[in-house]
Every structure is written in C-alpha cells, then in structure tokens.
C-alpha cells in the first residue's frame, strides 16, 4: 500500500490564519526547518491508480493540487478523479469541510459512522454532494469494510473501531457532562490491503502491512494498546505536546483534554502510553499550531524523536 500524508496539521493549519504566536510567525517568516502544514488528511492506494482519502480537510483543493496522483489522469474522461472513496474519522470541521470542495456531480463513495452521517444529513449544505451521485455508506463501530469506489473495489480493507474522543465542537451540548459525546463520534482505522485479513504470520500480532490511522484520541487504554500492537505503522494524534500549551502560549484557555486530544508529554501522555507497544513506525499527525514539536530545534521535538516517533509532514510518503 502507498500512503501519503496530505495534511499533517490539526484544525487551523500551520500557520493558522489569525495566529501571531511565535510558531506561526516562524513558519510565516520561512524560518529554516519550519514547514507549512495543511489540515488533517491522508490518502491511500493499493495499486497507485485509485485512491481513498481519509478525512476531507478544508485544504483538500490545494492538497490535490500538490499531489499529481490525486489529479485527473491524462488518459481519463473529461471529468474524473482517481479518488474513489472518502472516509471520515469524525465530524470535526477540519475533517468534513473539504467535502464542499468535492461538489460538481463527481461520483465517489462517502464512508462514515451513523453519528457522522447524521451530522452531514442534518446540515443541508452537504446536499451539494447529491446522494444520488455521492453514495453515503455507514461504517460499523467495530468491523471490517472493503472500500469501494464507483467502479468497484479499491483493494483496501479498513477495520473501524471507536476511540475515546469528543463530539465535534459545533455539536457540543454545554449541558452535558461529556458535551454530548457518544460512541461513533471518533473512530480509529486499521488499513490493510484487501485479502490480508486473517492471514497473520506466525509470531506476529497483525497481518503484514497494517497501518493504523488515529488522528484524534483522548485516551489510550489496554484494548487500544493490544489492538495496534504489531502494526507496521501508526499515524497518531499529535495535537498538543503539553495539555496546557494553549494557555501557556496565551492563545486560548482550552486544554488538550477539553478538546478531546491526549497530550504527547506527561505521565498519561502518548509517549508513555504507547512506549511498550510494538510498532514498525510511529508518526504524529494532526499537529496543532501551538505544539512545540513544530520547531525542529525544540526540546519537545528532540524528546519525541528520542522516543522513536517521527513528526509527520505534508507530502510524507509511506509504503507498508
Ligand atoms: C479538533 O480536532 O479538536 C477540532 O478539529 C477542533 C476544531 O474544530 O477546530
Ligand atoms: Mn481536528
């Protein structure tokens, strides 16, 4: 499988349009080592010709412009796309707003959980993707789905599972202790080439070539640790390094936990929680513009790299 990180930033991107904090200034000023990052999305392909895109970022138009594999093929029809399917992991703005850029009556299959499909159905602007043209298919909260495009199977199999998270910001119910969060608001995905299910090689815990994509996660428990153990690659929620970094930077008051994202650092942070999990590669994506790992010279960047993590970037290519 080929995987491409289309956007490695969290909501807002890097730099964020209105952010004047030191990290956003540094990338705007093109300081060495600071990379512009678009909002959260990856693409995957089994054959290099047809693709599934995971999360439709508000930046999808420029992500497609930066990725020739996702553009209409020279030998294609007058209107066509190599993108056969879009898969959503939650209903956050940074993961669904790009659907609006995919109008123009182009068929593809849109996959999401019942909770996320309900959000799309209740927001009539998404009718620009006429369901007669863009078929919406429900993903199970626990189960395997063979991804299809309008022309048939894409050769990609996904296993979906609920992870700890939070309902989208614009759907929060202030009266509810948990803001109205329910299972299905945030999922993780195991992505494998079709046909590899069930063929776990001796001595391994996963079929060869399993990539886990979990761009939003509020907590890791034993079930999740066991589930991802043995994966060839993990792309994981790298929103904040310190839980309180938004307040520490002075740009806002929300903690990572309040936003449904566990911090990288700390006793309950990602580095500690996944230290003993066996993974071929581990890469942070969905990185917020306040996260000090965006400065390659920072102590935070050195800490994650020393712990075996890579810092995802736009255009990063992986083969699993
Ligand atoms: C998040 O990941 O917490 C959301 O994308 C925040 C947002 O809606 O901007
Ligand atoms: Mn987000």
């Amino acid at each position: 499988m080929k995987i491409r990180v289309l956007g490695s930033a969290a909501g807002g991107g890097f730099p964020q349009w209105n952010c004047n904090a030191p990290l956003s200034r540094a990338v705007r000023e093109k300081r060495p080592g600071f990379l512009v990052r678009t909002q959260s999305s990856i693409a995957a392909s089994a054959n290099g010709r047809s693709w599934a895109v995971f999360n439709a970022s508000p930046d999808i138009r420029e992500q497609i412009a930066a990725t020739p594999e996702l553009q209409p093929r020279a030998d294609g029809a007058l209107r066509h796309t190599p993108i056969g399917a879009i898969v959503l992991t939650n209903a956050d703005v940074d993961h669904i707003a790009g659907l609006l850029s995919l109008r123009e009556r182009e068929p593809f299959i849109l996959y999401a959980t019942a909770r996320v499909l309900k959000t799309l159905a209740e927001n009539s602007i998404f009718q620009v993707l006429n369901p007669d043209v863009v078929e919406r298919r429900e993903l199970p909260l626990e189960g395997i789905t063979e991804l299809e495009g309008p022309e048939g199977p894409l050769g990609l199999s996904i296993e979906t599972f609920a992870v700890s998270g939070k309902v989208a910001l614009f759907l929060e119910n202030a009266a509810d202790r948990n803001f109205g969060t329910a299972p299905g608001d945030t999922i993780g995905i195991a992505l494998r080439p079709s046909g590899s299910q069930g063929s776990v090689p001796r001595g391994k815990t996963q079929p060869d070539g399993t990539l886990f994509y979990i761009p939003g996660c509020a907590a890791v428990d034993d079930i999740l640790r066991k589930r991802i153990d043995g994966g060839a690659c993990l792309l994981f929620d790298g929103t904040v390094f310190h839980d309180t970094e938004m307040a520490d930077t002075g740009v806002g008051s929300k903690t990572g936990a309040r936003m449904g994202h566990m911090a990288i650092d700390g006793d309950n942070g990602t580095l500690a929680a996944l230290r003993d999990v066996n993974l071929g590669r581990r890469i942070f994506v969905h990185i917020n513009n306040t996260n000090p790992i965006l400065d390659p010279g920072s102590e935070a960047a050195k800490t994650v790299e020393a712990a075996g993590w890579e810092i995802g970037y736009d255009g990063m290519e992986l083969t699993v």
Side-chain angles (χ1 to χ4, degrees):
M1 281 187 311
K2 286 176 188 242
I3 312 290
R4 230 176 130 107
V5 176
L6 300 179
S8 55
F14 187 56
Q16 178 172 305
W17 72 282
N18 64 342
C19 190
N20 215 7
L23 290 169
S24 283
R25 285 210 72 80
V27 69
R28 205 174 276 124
E29 288 165 3
K30 301 188 170 50
R31 292 241 312 264
F34 286 80
L35 301 175
V36 167
R37 288 172 153 88
T38 61
Q39 294 166 83
S40 176
S41 176
I42 68 167
S45 177
N47 58 16
R49 268 179 79 79
S50 53
W51 290 78
V53 169
F54 295 78
N55 290 321
S57 141
D59 301 320
I60 196 165
R61 184 180 176 281
E62 82 186 79
Q63 291 169 343
I64 292 171
T67 313
E69 298 93 317
L70 299 184
Q71 297 165 8
R73 286 188 289 265
D75 63 352
L78 281 178
R79 289 279 171 98
H80 99 107
T81 174
I83 301 172
I86 303 275
V87 183
L88 305 177
T89 61
N90 65 20
D92 280 352
V93 169
D94 57 347
H95 287 167
I96 66 171
L99 293 173
L100 303 178
S101 299
L102 301 179
R103 60 197 186 277
E104 312 298 353
R105 297 193 62 81
E106 185 64 46
F108 58 89
I109 316 277
L110 177 57
Y111 292 90
T113 63
R115 288 271 294 176
V116 173
L117 288 178
K118 182 166 173 284
T119 298
L120 300 181
E122 287 171 353
N123 284 273
S124 55
I125 194 167
F126 292 103
Q127 291 303 318
V128 295
L129 297 183
N130 185 332
D132 292 342
V133 178
V134 177
E135 187 190 330
R136 301 180 185 191
R137 290 195 196 166
E138 184 180 329
L139 291 173
L141 278 191
E142 183 67 59
I144 291 166
T145 304
E146 295 293 328
L147 293 183
E148 292 184 348
E151 286 155 20
L154 296 178
L156 296 169
S157 168
I158 61 169
E159 184 176 350
T160 44
F161 47 91
V163 294
S164 170
K166 188 185 70 62
V167 70
L169 186 59
F170 67 96
L171 297 171
E172 283 187 3
N173 173 3
D176 189 278
R177 187 182 56 83
N178 214 6
F179 313 107
T181 301
D185 282 331
T186 309
I187 58 168
I189 291 174
L191 176 60
R192 304 180 174 102
S194 293
S196 63
Q197 287 295 343
S199 56
V200 182
R202 273 170 74 93
K204 295 205 174 172
T205 50
Q206 297 286 339
D208 280 338
T210 303
L211 175 128
F212 288 93
Y213 177 53
I214 310 176
C217 189
V220 171
D221 58 13
D222 274 338
I223 296 172
L224 184 56
R225 266 188 287 269
K226 281 206 185 78
R227 188 190 283 277
I228 65 177
D229 191 67
C233 186
L234 169 68
L235 299 175
F236 195 77
D237 184 343
T239 310
V240 293
F241 186 78
H242 300 293
D243 188 48
T244 57
E245 77 192 27
M246 300 247 305
D248 299 344
T249 317
V251 298
S253 57
K254 279 189 183 169
T255 59
R258 171 64 184 83
M259 297 188 295
H261 300 288
M262 61 194 288
I264 293 175
D265 199 28
D267 291 347
N268 298 317
T270 307
L271 298 186
L274 299 183
R275 186 170 37 218
D276 298 327
V277 178
N278 175 30
L279 292 159
R281 290 176 77 173
R282 52 190 80 203
I283 302 169
F284 285 119
V285 292
H286 194 280
I287 306 167
N288 196 48
N289 50 73
T290 52
N291 189 326
I293 66 172
L294 293 170
D295 175 353
S298 66
E299 282 306 312
K302 288 178 194 150
T303 300
V304 302
E305 282 160 3
W309 285 80
E310 298 172 66
I311 300 168
Y313 54 88
D314 291 19
M316 185 176 202
E317 287 186 41
L318 308 163
T319 304
V320 287

Coordinates of all heavy atoms in Angstrom, one line a residue, residues 190-262:
A190 N -7.8 0.7 11.1 CA -6.7 -0.2 10.7 C -6.9 -0.3 9.2 O -7.9 -0.8 8.7 CB -6.8 -1.5 11.4
L191 N -5.8 0.0 8.4 CA -5.9 -0.1 7.0 C -5.0 -1.2 6.5 O -3.8 -1.2 6.9 CB -5.5 1.3 6.5 CG -5.4 1.6 5.0 CD1 -6.7 1.3 4.3 CD2 -4.9 3.0 4.8
R192 N -5.6 -2.0 5.6 CA -4.8 -3.2 5.1 C -5.1 -3.4 3.7 O -6.2 -3.0 3.2 CB -5.1 -4.4 5.9 CG -5.0 -4.3 7.4 CD -5.3 -5.7 8.1 NE -5.0 -5.6 9.5 CZ -5.9 -5.4 10.5 NH1 -7.2 -5.3 10.2 NH2 -5.6 -5.3 11.7
P193 N -4.2 -4.0 2.9 CA -4.6 -4.4 1.6 C -5.6 -5.5 1.7 O -5.6 -6.3 2.5 CB -3.3 -5.0 1.0 CG -2.2 -4.8 2.0 CD -2.8 -4.4 3.3
S194 N -6.6 -5.5 0.8 CA -7.7 -6.5 0.8 C -7.0 -7.8 0.7 O -6.0 -8.0 0.0 CB -8.6 -6.3 -0.4 OG -9.3 -5.1 -0.3
G195 N -7.7 -8.8 1.4 CA -7.2 -10.2 1.3 C -6.2 -10.5 2.4 O -5.9 -11.7 2.6
S196 N -5.7 -9.5 3.1 CA -4.7 -9.8 4.1 C -5.4 -10.2 5.5 O -4.7 -10.7 6.4 CB -3.8 -8.6 4.3 OG -4.5 -7.5 4.8
Q197 N -6.7 -9.9 5.5 CA -7.4 -10.2 6.8 C -7.3 -11.7 7.2 O -7.4 -12.5 6.3 CB -8.9 -9.9 6.6 CG -9.2 -8.4 6.6 CD -8.9 -7.7 7.9 OE1 -8.7 -8.4 8.9 NE2 -8.8 -6.4 7.8
G198 N -7.0 -11.9 8.4 CA -7.0 -13.3 8.9 C -5.7 -14.0 8.6 O -5.5 -15.1 9.1
S199 N -4.8 -13.4 7.8 CA -3.6 -14.2 7.5 C -2.5 -13.5 8.3 O -1.6 -12.9 7.8 CB -3.3 -14.1 6.0 OG -3.2 -12.7 5.6
V200 N -2.5 -13.8 9.6 CA -1.5 -13.2 10.5 C -0.3 -14.2 10.5 O -0.4 -15.3 10.9 CB -2.0 -13.1 11.9 CG1 -1.0 -12.5 12.8 CG2 -3.3 -12.2 11.9
P201 N 0.9 -13.7 10.0 CA 2.0 -14.6 10.0 C 2.4 -15.1 11.4 O 2.1 -14.4 12.4 CB 3.1 -13.7 9.4 CG 2.5 -12.5 8.9 CD 1.2 -12.4 9.6
R202 N 3.0 -16.3 11.5 CA 3.4 -16.8 12.8 C 4.3 -15.8 13.5 O 5.2 -15.2 12.9 CB 4.2 -18.1 12.6 CG 3.3 -19.3 12.5 CD 4.2 -20.5 12.0 NE 5.0 -21.0 13.1 CZ 4.7 -22.0 13.9 NH1 3.5 -22.6 13.8 NH2 5.5 -22.4 14.8
G203 N 4.1 -15.7 14.8 CA 4.9 -14.8 15.6 C 4.5 -13.4 15.6 O 5.2 -12.5 16.2
K204 N 3.5 -13.0 14.8 CA 3.1 -11.6 14.6 C 1.7 -11.4 15.2 O 0.9 -12.4 15.3 CB 3.1 -11.2 13.2 CG 4.5 -11.2 12.6 CD 4.7 -10.3 11.4 CE 6.1 -10.2 10.9 NZ 6.2 -9.4 9.7
T205 N 1.4 -10.2 15.5 CA 0.1 -9.9 16.1 C -0.9 -9.3 15.0 O -2.0 -9.1 15.3 CB 0.2 -9.0 17.3 OG1 1.0 -7.9 17.0 CG2 0.8 -9.8 18.5
Q206 N -0.3 -8.9 13.9 CA -1.1 -8.2 12.9 C -0.8 -8.8 11.5 O 0.4 -9.3 11.3 CB -0.7 -6.7 12.7 CG -0.9 -5.9 13.9 CD -2.3 -5.6 14.1 OE1 -3.1 -5.6 13.2 NE2 -2.7 -5.3 15.4
P207 N -1.7 -8.8 10.6 CA -1.3 -9.1 9.2 C -0.2 -8.2 8.7 O -0.2 -7.0 9.2 CB -2.6 -8.9 8.4 CG -3.7 -8.9 9.4 CD -3.1 -8.4 10.7
D208 N 0.7 -8.6 7.8 CA 1.7 -7.7 7.3 C 1.0 -6.5 6.7 O 0.0 -6.6 6.1 CB 2.5 -8.5 6.3 CG 3.6 -9.4 6.9 OD1 3.9 -9.1 8.1 OD2 4.0 -10.3 6.3
G209 N 1.7 -5.4 6.8 CA 1.2 -4.2 6.1 C 0.0 -3.6 6.8 O -0.9 -3.0 6.1
T210 N -0.2 -3.6 8.1 CA -1.3 -2.9 8.7 C -0.9 -1.5 9.2 O 0.1 -1.4 9.9 CB -1.8 -3.7 10.0 OG1 -2.1 -5.0 9.6 CG2 -3.0 -3.0 10.6
L211 N -1.6 -0.5 8.7 CA -1.3 0.8 9.1 C -2.5 1.3 9.9 O -3.7 1.1 9.5 CB -1.2 1.7 7.9 CG -1.0 3.2 8.2 CD1 0.2 3.8 7.5 CD2 -2.2 4.0 7.8
F212 N -2.2 1.9 11.1 CA -3.3 2.4 11.9 C -3.3 4.0 11.8 O -2.3 4.6 11.8 CB -3.0 2.1 13.4 CG -3.3 0.6 13.7 CD1 -2.3 -0.3 13.6 CD2 -4.6 0.2 13.9 CE1 -2.5 -1.7 13.9 CE2 -4.8 -1.2 14.2 CZ -3.8 -2.1 14.1
Y213 N -4.5 4.5 11.6 CA -4.7 5.9 11.4 C -5.7 6.4 12.5 O -6.9 6.0 12.5 CB -5.3 6.2 10.0 CG -5.6 7.7 9.8 CD1 -4.7 8.7 10.0 CD2 -6.9 8.1 9.3 CE1 -5.0 10.0 9.7 CE2 -7.2 9.4 9.1 CZ -6.2 10.3 9.3 OH -6.5 11.7 9.0
I214 N -5.2 7.1 13.5 CA -5.9 7.6 14.6 C -5.6 9.1 14.9 O -4.8 9.4 15.8 CB -5.6 6.7 15.9 CG1 -5.7 5.2 15.6 CG2 -6.6 7.1 17.0 CD1 -5.3 4.3 16.7
P215 N -6.2 10.0 14.1 CA -5.8 11.4 14.2 C -6.4 12.1 15.4 O -6.0 13.2 15.7 CB -6.3 12.0 12.8 CG -7.5 11.1 12.5 CD -7.1 9.7 12.9
G216 N -7.4 11.5 16.0 CA -8.0 12.1 17.2 C -8.1 11.0 18.2 O -8.7 10.0 18.0
C217 N -7.6 11.3 19.5 CA -7.7 10.3 20.5 C -7.6 11.0 21.9 O -6.6 11.7 22.1 CB -6.7 9.2 20.3 SG -6.9 7.8 21.4
A218 N -8.5 10.7 22.8 CA -8.5 11.4 24.1 C -7.8 10.6 25.1 O -7.3 11.1 26.1 CB -9.9 11.7 24.5
A219 N -7.7 9.3 24.9 CA -7.0 8.4 25.9 C -6.7 7.0 25.3 O -7.4 6.6 24.4 CB -7.9 8.2 27.1
V220 N -5.7 6.4 25.7 CA -5.3 5.1 25.3 C -5.5 4.1 26.4 O -5.1 4.3 27.5 CB -3.8 5.0 24.9 CG1 -3.4 3.6 24.6 CG2 -3.5 5.9 23.6
D221 N -6.3 3.0 26.1 CA -6.5 2.0 27.2 C -5.8 0.7 26.7 O -5.3 0.6 25.6 CB -8.0 1.8 27.5 CG -8.8 1.4 26.3 OD1 -8.2 1.1 25.2 OD2 -10.0 1.5 26.3
D222 N -5.9 -0.3 27.5 CA -5.3 -1.6 27.2 C -5.9 -2.2 25.9 O -5.2 -2.8 25.1 CB -5.5 -2.6 28.3 CG -4.4 -2.4 29.3 OD1 -3.3 -1.9 29.0 OD2 -4.6 -2.8 30.5
I223 N -7.2 -2.0 25.7 CA -7.8 -2.6 24.5 C -7.2 -1.9 23.2 O -6.8 -2.6 22.3 CB -9.3 -2.3 24.5 CG1 -9.9 -3.0 25.7 CG2 -10.0 -2.7 23.2 CD1 -11.4 -2.7 26.0
L224 N -7.0 -0.6 23.3 CA -6.4 0.0 22.1 C -4.9 -0.4 22.0 O -4.4 -0.6 20.8 CB -6.5 1.6 22.2 CG -6.0 2.4 21.1 CD1 -6.7 2.0 19.7 CD2 -6.2 3.9 21.3
R225 N -4.2 -0.4 23.1 CA -2.8 -0.9 23.0 C -2.7 -2.2 22.3 O -1.9 -2.4 21.5 CB -2.2 -0.9 24.4 CG -1.4 0.3 24.8 CD -0.7 0.1 26.1 NE -1.6 0.1 27.3 CZ -2.0 1.2 27.9 NH1 -1.5 2.3 27.6 NH2 -2.8 1.1 28.9
K226 N -3.5 -3.2 22.8 CA -3.5 -4.5 22.2 C -3.8 -4.5 20.7 O -3.3 -5.2 19.9 CB -4.4 -5.5 22.9 CG -3.9 -5.9 24.3 CD -4.6 -7.3 24.7 CE -4.1 -7.7 26.0 NZ -4.9 -7.0 27.1
R227 N -4.8 -3.7 20.4 CA -5.3 -3.6 19.0 C -4.2 -3.2 18.1 O -4.1 -3.8 17.0 CB -6.5 -2.7 18.9 CG -7.2 -2.7 17.6 CD -8.2 -1.6 17.6 NE -9.4 -1.8 18.3 CZ -10.5 -2.5 17.9 NH1 -10.4 -3.1 16.7 NH2 -11.6 -2.6 18.6
I228 N -3.4 -2.2 18.5 CA -2.5 -1.7 17.5 C -1.1 -2.4 17.6 O -0.2 -2.2 16.7 CB -2.3 -0.2 17.7 CG1 -1.7 0.2 19.0 CG2 -3.6 0.6 17.5 CD1 -1.4 1.7 19.2
D229 N -0.9 -3.2 18.6 CA 0.4 -3.9 18.8 C 0.8 -4.7 17.5 O -0.1 -5.4 17.0 CB 0.3 -4.8 20.0 CG 1.7 -5.3 20.4 OD1 2.5 -4.4 20.8 OD2 2.0 -6.4 20.2
G230 N 2.0 -4.5 17.1 CA 2.4 -5.3 15.9 C 2.2 -4.6 14.6 O 2.5 -5.1 13.5
G231 N 1.6 -3.4 14.6 CA 1.3 -2.7 13.4 C 2.5 -2.2 12.7 O 3.6 -1.9 13.3
A232 N 2.5 -2.2 11.3 CA 3.7 -1.7 10.6 C 3.9 -0.2 10.8 O 5.0 0.3 10.8 CB 3.5 -2.0 9.1
C233 N 2.8 0.5 11.0 CA 2.9 1.9 11.1 C 1.7 2.5 11.9 O 0.5 2.0 11.7 CB 3.0 2.6 9.7 SG 3.3 4.3 9.7
L234 N 1.9 3.5 12.7 CA 0.8 4.2 13.4 C 0.9 5.7 13.1 O 2.0 6.3 13.3 CB 0.9 4.0 14.9 CG 0.1 4.9 15.8 CD1 -1.4 4.5 15.6 CD2 0.5 4.7 17.3
L235 N -0.2 6.2 12.6 CA -0.3 7.7 12.4 C -1.2 8.1 13.5 O -2.4 7.7 13.5 CB -0.9 8.0 11.0 CG 0.0 7.6 9.8 CD1 -0.8 7.9 8.5 CD2 1.3 8.3 9.8
F236 N -0.7 8.9 14.5 CA -1.5 9.2 15.7 C -1.6 10.7 16.0 O -0.8 11.5 15.6 CB -0.8 8.5 16.9 CG -1.6 8.3 18.1 CD1 -2.6 7.3 18.1 CD2 -1.4 9.2 19.2 CE1 -3.4 7.2 19.3 CE2 -2.2 9.0 20.3 CZ -3.2 8.1 20.4
D237 N -2.7 10.9 16.8 CA -3.0 12.3 17.3 C -1.8 13.0 17.9 O -1.4 12.6 19.0 CB -4.1 12.1 18.3 CG -4.7 13.4 18.8 OD1 -4.0 14.5 18.7 OD2 -5.8 13.4 19.4
G238 N -1.3 14.0 17.2 CA -0.2 14.8 17.8 C -0.6 16.2 18.0 O 0.2 17.1 17.9
T239 N -1.9 16.4 18.4 CA -2.4 17.8 18.5 C -1.5 18.7 19.5 O -1.0 19.7 19.0 CB -3.8 17.8 19.1 OG1 -4.6 16.8 18.3 CG2 -4.5 19.1 19.0
V240 N -1.4 18.2 20.7 CA -0.6 19.1 21.7 C 0.5 18.3 22.3 O 0.3 17.1 22.5 CB -1.6 19.7 22.8 CG1 -2.5 20.7 22.2 CG2 -2.3 18.6 23.6
F241 N 1.6 19.0 22.6 CA 2.6 18.3 23.4 C 2.3 18.4 24.9 O 2.3 17.3 25.6 CB 4.0 19.0 23.1 CG 5.2 18.3 23.7 CD1 5.7 17.2 23.1 CD2 5.8 18.8 24.8 CE1 6.8 16.5 23.6 CE2 6.9 18.2 25.4 CZ 7.4 17.0 24.8
H242 N 2.0 19.6 25.4 CA 1.6 19.8 26.8 C 0.1 20.0 26.8 O -0.4 20.8 26.0 CB 2.2 21.0 27.4 CG 3.7 21.0 27.4 ND1 4.5 20.1 28.2 CD2 4.6 21.8 26.8 CE1 5.7 20.4 28.0 NE2 5.9 21.4 27.1
D243 N -0.6 19.4 27.7 CA -2.0 19.5 27.8 C -2.4 21.0 27.9 O -3.4 21.4 27.4 CB -2.6 18.8 29.1 CG -4.1 18.7 29.1 OD1 -4.7 18.4 28.1 OD2 -4.6 19.0 30.2
T244 N -1.6 21.8 28.6 CA -2.0 23.2 28.8 C -1.3 24.2 27.9 O -1.2 25.4 28.2 CB -1.6 23.6 30.3 OG1 -0.2 23.4 30.5 CG2 -2.4 22.8 31.3
E245 N -0.8 23.7 26.8 CA 0.1 24.6 25.9 C -0.7 25.8 25.3 O -0.1 26.8 25.1 CB 0.9 23.8 24.9 CG 0.0 23.4 23.7 CD 0.7 22.4 22.8 OE1 1.6 21.7 23.3 OE2 0.4 22.4 21.6
M246 N -2.0 25.6 25.1 CA -2.7 26.8 24.5 C -2.7 27.9 25.5 O -2.5 29.1 25.2 CB -4.2 26.4 24.2 CG -4.3 25.3 23.2 SD -4.9 25.8 21.6 CE -6.5 26.5 22.0
A247 N -3.0 27.6 26.8 CA -3.0 28.6 27.8 C -1.6 29.1 28.1 O -1.3 30.3 28.2 CB -3.6 28.1 29.1
D248 N -0.6 28.2 28.1 CA 0.8 28.6 28.3 C 1.3 29.6 27.3 O 2.0 30.5 27.5 CB 1.7 27.4 28.4 CG 1.3 26.4 29.5 OD1 0.6 26.8 30.4 OD2 1.8 25.2 29.4
T249 N 0.8 29.3 26.0 CA 1.2 30.2 24.9 C 0.5 31.5 25.0 O 0.9 32.5 24.4 CB 0.9 29.5 23.6 OG1 1.3 28.2 23.6 CG2 1.7 30.2 22.4
G250 N -0.7 31.5 25.7 CA -1.5 32.7 25.8 C -2.5 32.9 24.6 O -3.2 33.9 24.5
V251 N -2.7 31.8 23.8 CA -3.6 32.0 22.7 C -5.0 31.5 23.0 O -5.9 31.7 22.2 CB -3.1 31.2 21.4 CG1 -1.8 31.8 21.0 CG2 -3.0 29.7 21.7
G252 N -5.2 30.8 24.1 CA -6.6 30.3 24.4 C -6.5 29.6 25.8 O -5.5 29.5 26.4
S253 N -7.7 29.2 26.2 CA -7.8 28.6 27.5 C -8.0 27.1 27.5 O -7.9 26.5 28.5 CB -8.9 29.3 28.3 OG -10.1 29.1 27.6
K254 N -8.3 26.6 26.4 CA -8.7 25.1 26.3 C -7.5 24.2 26.5 O -6.4 24.5 25.9 CB -9.4 24.8 25.0 CG -10.8 25.2 25.0 CD -11.5 24.6 23.8 CE -12.9 25.0 23.7 NZ -13.5 24.8 22.4
T255 N -7.7 23.2 27.3 CA -6.6 22.2 27.4 C -6.8 21.2 26.2 O -7.9 21.1 25.6 CB -6.7 21.4 28.7 OG1 -8.0 20.8 28.7 CG2 -6.6 22.3 29.9
G256 N -5.8 20.4 26.0 CA -5.9 19.3 25.0 C -7.1 18.4 25.4 O -7.9 18.0 24.6
A257 N -7.2 18.0 26.7 CA -8.2 17.1 27.2 C -9.6 17.7 26.9 O -10.5 17.0 26.4 CB -8.1 16.9 28.7
R258 N -9.8 19.0 27.1 CA -11.1 19.7 26.8 C -11.4 19.6 25.3 O -12.6 19.6 24.9 CB -11.0 21.1 27.3 CG -12.2 22.0 26.9 CD -13.5 21.5 27.5 NE -14.6 22.3 27.1 CZ -15.3 22.1 25.9 NH1 -14.9 21.1 25.1 NH2 -16.3 22.8 25.6
M259 N -10.4 19.5 24.5 CA -10.6 19.4 23.0 C -10.7 17.9 22.5 O -10.9 17.7 21.3 CB -9.5 20.1 22.2 CG -9.5 21.6 22.6 SD -8.3 22.5 21.5 CE -6.7 21.8 22.0
G260 N -10.6 17.0 23.5 CA -10.7 15.6 23.1 C -9.3 15.0 22.5 O -9.3 14.0 21.8
H261 N -8.2 15.6 22.9 CA -6.9 15.2 22.5 C -6.0 14.9 23.6 O -5.8 15.8 24.4 CB -6.3 16.2 21.5 CG -7.1 16.4 20.3 ND1 -7.3 15.5 19.3 CD2 -7.9 17.5 20.0 CE1 -8.1 16.0 18.4 NE2 -8.5 17.2 18.7
M262 N -5.4 13.7 23.7 CA -4.4 13.5 24.8 C -3.1 14.2 24.4 O -2.8 14.4 23.2 CB -4.2 12.0 25.0 CG -3.7 11.3 23.8 SD -3.8 9.5 24.0 CE -2.5 9.1 25.2

